[in-house]
Amino acid sequence: MSLESDVRELWQRYDDGDVNASSATVDELDTLDAFLSALEAGEVRAAEKTGSDVTSWEANEWVKRGILLNFGLRETLTREYGDVRYHDVLPLRDTDDLGDRGTRNTPDGTVIRRGAYLGSDCIMMSPSFVNIGAYVDDGTLVDSCDTVGSCAQIGADVKLGANTLIGGVLEPVEDAPVVVEDGAALGAGCRVTSGFVVGENSIVGENTLLTPRIPVYDLVDEEIHYGHLPANRRAFTRFVESSLGDHDLFAGGAYKPAVVALDIEDDTLDATRREEALRE
């Protein structure tokens, strides 16, 4: 049987109530360990791009179910990582393989959970956190105080500015996670949540909130998008008039956040250019 079929069969038994954390056998836990190793090797992913368009990302339901099984079929244990004792269903990821690929994680607060993939020549600055099922491709910078949530898909040569939150989407299993495509740069303090997709080579201004509930006014194609930012855009937050009018609690009209997307200008590219010395 393949790993996928093993996970699907185990999920069905778990969903039917035939197996739980107290009854899981060694063989069943071995299947979960093999699944986590496949995630860490990049052999399976929580979502994949099925076409050329930024909206073509689709979740791999069986992978997300495999992640959920690692919570449902494991018991919380007291664990140790270096001098740190903690309580969780999963150990932290072994990082011995990172150095061989030129990937760096600085001390002493870079936390990588089991089941997370980091490619070659990545940089994780302390403190930062990468959760289970996340995929961080080659050459990407995860800066200080960043969080990469469960199942998030981060492309190659991406720059996540300091204090950036990439949300996790683990449930429901059919929903695609947050995606930041190749070459994108997110300014400090950005928030990307609820399965939003940032198109390749886009540059997002600091403190911008990207979520499917906030419209993206694309001034290049003169369209309004929800749930994604097209490729090759410069985006930043603006406030637009809300349908909510005068209210007893405040005078004047109300405003709601929106995102404005423009063409990328040369000076913007210069301001976000990668320094190769950081990755040599």
Side-chain angles (χ1 to χ4, degrees), residues 188-263:
C190 286
R191 302 289 185 268
V192 190
T193 69
S194 304
F196 194 96
V197 180
V198 178
E200 62 183 13
N201 300 318
S202 285
I203 298 172
V204 182
E206 58 190 33
N207 295 316
T208 299
L209 173 60
L210 298 173
T211 178
R213 292 172 295 280
I214 292 179
V216 175
Y217 291 88
D218 183 6
L219 304 189
V220 178
D221 291 336
E222 297 187 349
E223 295 180 342
I224 301 176
H225 306 292
Y226 286 89
H228 70 275
L229 174 67
N232 302 300
R233 296 293 193 271
R234 175 170 60 97
F236 49 88
T237 298
R238 285 293 181 267
F239 288 87
V240 299
E241 289 190 21
S242 169
S243 59
L244 182 65
D246 290 337
H247 194 280
D248 291 343
L249 294 179
F250 57 82
Y255 291 85
K256 60 185 178 182
V259 174
V260 175
L262 304 171
D263 273 324

Side-chain angles (χ1 to χ4, degrees), residues 35 39 46 63-71 132-133 151 170:
F35 171 76
L39 281 172
V63 175
K64 296 178 78 174
R65 287 194 171 106
I67 294 172
L68 290 171
L69 283 171
N70 273 277
F71 294 99
I132 183 173
C151 299
L170 190 49

Side-chain angles (χ1 to χ4, degrees), residues 2 24 28 37 69 72 117 133 143 151 153 202 216 259 263 266-267:
S2 67
E28 290 161 347
S37 296
L69 283 171
Y117 172 81
D143 211 339
C151 299
Q153 304 292 294
S202 285
V216 175
V259 174
D263 273 324
D266 289 342
D267 57 350

